[in-house]
Amino acid sequence: MTTTVPFGLAEQTEIAAYTDFVAGAAAPLREALGIGSLHVGSALALAIREDPSRFFNRAGGFGAGEPITVDVVAQVCDFYRRQAVSQGAFMVAPPLQPPHWAATADKVNLTPGNRFVKLGCDIESTLSAADGVAALDPGLRVGQVEPHHAQEWATVMMTTFGFTTPGVIDMAASCGGRPNWRQYAVFEDERIIAVGSVFFNGLCADVFGGATLPEGRGRGAQSALLTARARAALAAGCRWLVAETGAEGSGDHNTSLHNMLRAGLEPLYERLTWLWRE
């Protein structure tokens, strides 16, 4: 078995995590937030009508055993229209793009957006890297989130990322305890200062939603959370670990990217986001 993460599996694991995180909420929350999802070919698409950030309006998993055709892309665009959102993103890995991708994107009026780095590795490589838990600052501890911490955990994650739409914190908190997830936090005394999740998708796991409060930064919290999540993924029977974060431009420094590199994750490719706008 290859030690390189299959690109199609990496992309499908990412979008499956986002879709379960959002669309797995209870029906009243889905209705209040205008949550919808679509499965077409190997791809999944997701949208939240009432979230002005538009961050969760995304589609991915393209090219994993299914051709990326104009019809598939058009179906996702139609889904965004039905959901009445003003913008939706297409995540298409460069190694999986067909030769005619530029023409397909042009035909449905997709435009380039931000760039992300897709990272991945064999979990054993992560666990042979620096032990983030051992290097955590004194006075801090990392642990799995229990049900009575779910709301605080979700508040730290969503507010740190700037998601303040009513209902989205409850949506995040409802993810706690689902079978394919583990949620972790770094505590200072009994207060949560940093959070991170891991989603299990068969042999592949996605590290998801790492966020740290300003007063907790620079103290090893995210490195500890990466180690804890890698251990959980190995225990769940996963072989590979994947993640994504913003690509660095000239003069940029993305702390999350460097935390992941120190934890043993390796860049697989840079992925350009393609945007559909109404």
Side-chain angles (χ1 to χ4, degrees):
M1 184 182 290
T2 178
T3 58
T4 302
V5 188
F7 295 152
L9 179 60
E11 291 292 311
Q12 287 186 315
T13 299
E14 175 188 336
I15 193 61
Y18 274 102
T19 302
D20 192 84
F21 179 74
V22 172
L29 266 177
R30 295 200 306 270
E31 183 175 350
L33 288 168
I35 292 171
S37 62
L38 172 73
H39 194 172
V40 52
S42 65
L44 286 167
L46 176 67
I48 306 181
R49 185 180 59 248
E50 300 304 323
D51 178 21
S53 78
R54 303 179 297 194
F55 176 82
F56 294 101
N57 302 342
R58 56 178 57 221
F62 296 97
E66 298 276 351
I68 307 173
T69 64
V70 173
D71 179 65
V72 167
V73 175
Q75 286 185 61
V76 176
C77 294
D78 288 342
F79 162 74
Y80 288 140
R81 290 189 186 96
R82 290 195 304 273
Q83 287 298 116
V85 297
S86 61
Q87 179 178 296
F90 286 75
M91 315 297 184
V92 186
L96 301 177
Q97 288 179 3
H100 58 271
W101 171 250
T104 298
D106 185 64
K107 188 166 186 176
V108 294
N109 298 316
L110 302 185
T111 57
N114 294 331
R115 285 188 174 274
F116 287 83
V117 180
K118 189 70 182 179
L119 302 105
C121 67
D122 186 290
I123 291 175
E124 295 287 358
S125 299
T126 308
L127 294 176
S128 66
D131 185 340
V133 173
L136 193 60
D137 269 12
L140 303 181
R141 62 180 176 87
V142 62
Q144 192 169 334
V145 173
E146 301 297 334
H148 64 280
H149 282 126
Q151 200 71 20
E152 182 185 3
W153 168 87
T155 300
V156 169
M157 175 172 57
M158 301 305 271
T159 57
T160 299
F161 285 126
F163 301 131
T164 57
T165 299
V168 295
I169 290 174
D170 291 335
M171 177 192 78
S174 74
C175 184
R178 289 187 200 152
N180 290 334
W181 289 92
R182 298 289 184 275
Q183 289 81 27
Y184 290 88
V186 171
F187 297 83
E188 185 168 35
D189 296 323
E190 293 304 312
R191 178 173 177 251
I192 292 176
I193 64 164
V195 299
S197 299
V198 58
F199 174 78
F200 309 134
N201 181 39
L203 291 176
C204 194
D206 183 81
V207 291
F208 184 96
T212 306
L213 294 175
E215 60 268 31
R217 293 170 189 166
R219 304 172 67 185
Q222 285 303 321
S223 293
L225 288 164
L226 284 165
T227 296
R229 289 180 285 176
R231 290 172 179 170
L234 184 67
C238 300
R239 177 174 176 81
W240 296 291
L241 199 66
V242 296
E244 70 285 336
T245 188
E248 290 181 333
S250 178
D252 293 339
H253 180 84
N254 180 347
T255 301
S256 293
L257 174 59
H258 291 275
N259 286 339
M260 292 176 187
L261 294 173
R262 280 195 302 274
L265 288 147
E266 299 178 351
L268 301 177
Y269 44 81
E270 281 198 13
R271 187 184 67 201
L272 180 65
T273 301
W274 293 86
L275 299 177
W276 169 90
R277 293 185 177 92
E278 183 58 281

